[in-house]
């Protein structure tokens, strides 16, 4: 078994090796957080695309169906009820507006879901939590080297980092 930097476990590592190992692990953590942010943003963009598609469909239905549906529905109402033709056209238009309104509501629902996406906020909270853990990390006490007391410089570094 070996440590992340390749040295055997239990062997004493130099300060440089420890710093290199910590830097490598911190870099991997940052890369993982960035990958998580990208995945969450991709999901939010997908919801936004569905919302935009629904709004586009609502507009297309309204534009392309008005002439054809208005005439068909108006003449159908006239045949069924014998009302004035103008009233039949108004009812036909109201039906088209109702369909477009329903599609617009679907678009609004998906837009709100996309807006409520907590992707970047989750990543930011995770990064702050990781930074808080790293700031509060204290070095493990090291055994005396072969019975000799540790040099004053090492003790000062140990005190300043805790």
């Amino acid at each position: 078994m070996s440590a992340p930097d390749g040295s055997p476990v239990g062997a004493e590592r130099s300060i440089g090796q420890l710093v290199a190992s910590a830097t490598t692990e911190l870099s991997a953590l940052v890369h993982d957080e960035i990958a998580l942010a990208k995945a969450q943003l991709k999901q939010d963009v997908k919801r936004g695309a569905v919302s935009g598609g629904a709004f586009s469909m609502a507009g297309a239905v309204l534009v392309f169906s008005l002439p054809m549906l208005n005439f068909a529905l108006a003449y159908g109402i006239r045949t069924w009820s014998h009302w004035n033709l103008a009233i039949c056209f108004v009812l036909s238009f109201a039906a088209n507006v109702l369909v477009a309104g329903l599609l617009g509501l679907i678009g609004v629902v998906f837009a709100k879901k996309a807006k409520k996406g907590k992707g970047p906020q989750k990543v930011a909270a995770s990064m702050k939590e990781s930074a808080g853990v790293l700031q509060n990390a204290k070095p493990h006490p090291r055994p005396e080297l072969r019975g000799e007391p540790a040099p004053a410089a090492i003790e000062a570094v140990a005190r300043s980092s805790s």
Side-chain angles (χ1 to χ4, degrees):
M1 183 182 245
S2 64
D5 64 353
S7 64
V9 173
E12 296 209 20
R13 298 188 297 177
S14 69
I15 298 281
Q17 289 172 328
L18 291 172
V19 169
S21 176
T23 303
T24 302
E25 291 176 17
L26 187 60
S27 175
L29 176 65
V30 168
H31 286 287
D32 289 344
E33 295 287 346
I34 291 171
L36 176 63
K38 284 181 181 179
Q40 290 174 340
L41 285 174
K42 184 177 178 182
Q43 184 180 19
D44 291 343
V45 166
K46 190 174 182 180
R47 285 184 182 144
V50 169
S51 171
F55 281 128
S56 297
M57 290 300 297
V61 165
L62 186 61
V63 168
F64 291 120
S65 70
L66 282 178
M68 186 173 57
L69 289 178
N70 279 341
F71 280 103
L73 190 57
Y75 282 111
I77 294 171
R78 166 104 173 153
T79 303
W80 174 72
S81 68
H82 301 293
W83 289 345
N84 186 355
L85 193 57
I87 292 173
C88 296
F89 272 104
V90 169
L91 291 175
S92 168
F93 177 73
N96 286 325
V97 170
L98 180 67
V99 169
L102 289 174
L103 288 172
L105 282 175
I106 291 170
V108 167
V109 167
F110 277 99
K112 285 183 180 181
K113 283 184 181 180
K115 190 176 181 180
K116 286 183 181 179
K118 301 286 186 194
Q121 292 88 354
K122 287 181 185 176
V123 172
S126 176
M127 292 283 280
K128 287 180 183 177
E129 183 179 333
S130 297
V133 168
L134 291 174
Q135 286 177 349
N136 295 330
K138 296 182 180 176
H140 296 289
R142 294 180 181 227
E144 300 283 331
L145 301 173
R146 298 183 200 138
E148 300 173 6
I154 293 176
E155 287 179 5
V157 169
R159 268 187 257 122
S160 68
S161 65
S162 58

